[in-house]
Amino acid sequence: MAEIIPYTPSELISVITTADKPKTNLFLSLFFRQEVTSPARDIALDLIDSSDVPMAAFCSPMVGSRVMRDKGYETKSFTPGYLKPKKEIDVSKLVPRWPGEVISDMSGNRDALIAKALDEQQGAIDARKEWLAVQAITSGKNVISGDGIEKYEIDWKMSDANRISQTSGTAWSAQDKDTYDPNDDLENYAEAAQAPINVIIFGKKAWQLYRSFKSVKQALDTRRGSNSRLETTLQNLGEFVSHKGYVGDVAIIVYTGKYKNEDGTEEYYLDPMTIVMGNTSHKGLVAYGAIQDPAAAREGLTESSVYPKNYVVPGDPEIEYVQTQSAPQPIPAGIDKFVTVFVK
């Protein structure tokens, strides 16, 4: 067998960036559309306090004006979780022909396996980013744990008022489906948000309960169409996202996206009995800590969202691997602009 010549990170990055992959992660697509990279392992952000902006005061044009006092800022530093999924390029799969492949085309077999591994690893990293985004918005925190690291927490300081749990007296399951209007509850819940609400995302079971009310069926507008950013974003999000219509000017979405745990079991990103209220103009971002690999430092690629690597481990036999490293963390731009409701 010919000598295996590993691909460079730059060559692998070109495969990732040119691949036409549909977006499948709702929270990232709606609320965390920007990306930034950090030259350091930790991410430090200067968070400008934009609350309590004073109204401009009246004064005579002939009188010297007051100088507005600069608002303070807080430097928040945190360590994002580190990801490095790895896959062996199985040499046994390089020998047989793929269905329909002629012998002269077999040189592309290895390339296809590498491209497939990169695609799977990017998908795994995207799934983790979506999980982090949903956890940040629904709990106000991100808990980072895994092999070889001490469990720690990133607290986004979400107000208790923005996480609402229905009680036995306010539970929708206990209300009369013919006379009760849960839209009144949604309006009251939205009052806790520090920005107008224009989208409500339902978990599967919360939606089934909500739509069981007669008032909802009367209020839901399923015929309205527009060219809004929301509907453009939703077009390519796949079978796990369903746009149900509008109540007033608020879009109603059902999200049933799932991920696989390390043991192979499937879980919902958004708990089925949970509702998230937000605004599609939210300017959250995904920040990436520096790549912690000496090879990336030598190549000047530490400040990157991903660092794909193809290498061969000497031995008898040699083993070829493809690995993608990344240190992502979705960052909400004002966590109290969201309201999460736990339905009963």
Side-chain angles (χ1 to χ4, degrees):
M1 182 179 291
E3 179 187 1
I4 296 174
I5 301 176
Y7 286 100
T8 67
S10 297
E11 290 172 324
L12 297 175
I13 287 173
S14 69
V15 174
I16 293 173
T17 56
T18 58
D20 184 16
K21 302 181 182 69
K23 294 182 178 180
T24 57
N25 299 316
L26 178 64
F27 278 63
L28 290 173
S29 298
L30 286 184
F31 307 126
F32 300 89
R33 293 186 296 274
Q34 303 178 69
E35 292 190 346
V36 297
T37 55
S38 169
R41 175 70 178 97
D42 288 355
I43 297 170
L45 298 176
D46 288 341
L47 304 178
I48 304 298
D49 181 8
S50 60
S51 61
D52 301 324
V53 177
M55 183 170 63
F58 292 113
C59 69
S60 165
M62 305 303 293
V63 176
S65 61
R66 293 182 181 179
V67 176
M68 293 185 68
R69 182 171 59 85
D70 283 342
K71 298 191 70 67
Y73 65 87
E74 171 193 3
T75 297
K76 187 179 183 73
S77 179
F78 57 87
T79 304
Y82 203 81
L83 310 174
K84 48 180 183 179
K86 179 172 69 173
K87 186 172 184 178
E88 178 184 345
I89 301 302
D90 189 349
V91 68
S92 67
K93 294 181 180 178
L94 300 179
V95 179
R97 287 183 297 152
W98 285 17
E101 183 180 32
V102 296
I103 294 178
S104 61
D105 291 335
M106 286 184 64
S107 60
N109 193 310
R110 172 172 170 258
D111 291 351
L113 289 176
I114 290 174
K116 185 173 183 291
L118 288 171
D119 184 65
E120 291 175 352
Q121 290 167 12
Q122 187 63 54
I125 291 170
D126 287 345
R128 178 60 70 181
K129 290 191 295 186
E130 177 74 354
W131 180 84
L132 287 166
V134 174
Q135 291 298 311
I137 289 175
T138 57
S139 71
K141 299 177 181 181
N142 284 126
V143 177
I144 311 298
S145 62
D147 291 339
I149 63 172
E150 211 174 305
K151 183 176 179 179
Y152 62 96
E153 179 183 277
I154 302 172
D155 189 349
W156 301 110
K157 308 296 183 183
M158 191 177 206
S159 299
D160 291 341
N162 292 65
R163 300 181 74 248
I164 300 169
S165 295
Q166 293 182 348
T167 63
S168 57
T170 62
W172 284 352
S173 59
Q175 309 304 325
D176 189 296
K177 301 301 186 292
D178 290 326
T179 61
Y180 193 81
D181 190 354
N183 291 311
D184 293 337
D185 291 332
L186 293 180
E187 287 189 15
N188 291 331
Y189 298 152
E191 291 296 322
Q194 291 184 354
I197 297 298
N198 72 354
V199 61
I200 302 177
I201 303 170
F202 285 79
K204 181 179 180 179
K205 292 183 180 179
W207 161 250
Q208 292 172 345
L209 186 55
Y210 172 71
R211 71 179 297 272
S212 68
F213 289 91
K214 181 179 179 180
S215 57
V216 170
K217 296 173 182 176
Q218 294 172 340
L220 190 64
D221 182 357
T222 59
R223 296 169 298 178
R224 173 181 163 186
S226 74
N227 294 318
S228 68
R229 177 195 298 166
L230 170 65
E231 293 185 15
T232 301
T233 301
L234 295 178
Q235 287 177 357
N236 297 318
L237 286 178
E239 61 183 305
F240 300 115
V241 177
S242 178
H243 184 200
K244 297 299 185 181
Y246 291 85
V247 173
D249 61 354
V250 178
I252 304 297
I253 297 173
V254 178
Y255 186 33
T256 57
K258 294 180 179 180
Y259 63 92
K260 283 188 177 181
N261 282 321
E262 292 182 2
D263 61 4
T265 59
E266 286 192 328
E267 301 282 350
Y268 287 101
Y269 286 113
L270 181 65
D271 184 276
M273 287 295 281
T274 301
I275 297 172
V276 171
M277 312 176 81
N279 193 296
T280 53
S281 64
H282 180 81
K283 295 182 179 179
L285 54 85
V286 180
Y288 296 87
I291 301 299
Q292 301 298 293
D293 189 314
R298 291 193 299 270
E299 296 158 4
L301 295 174
T302 57
E303 189 174 344
S304 178
S305 59
V306 293
Y307 178 69
K309 189 175 181 179
N310 178 213
Y311 60 98
V312 176
V313 176
D316 185 13
E318 294 181 334
I319 302 176
E320 182 180 15
Y321 290 103
V322 172
Q323 182 184 60
T324 305
Q325 300 179 52
S326 185
Q329 177 58 55
I331 301 173
I335 191 65
D336 284 343
K337 294 178 182 178
F338 295 95
V339 173
T340 296
V341 182
F342 304 99
V343 177
K344 292 183 179 179

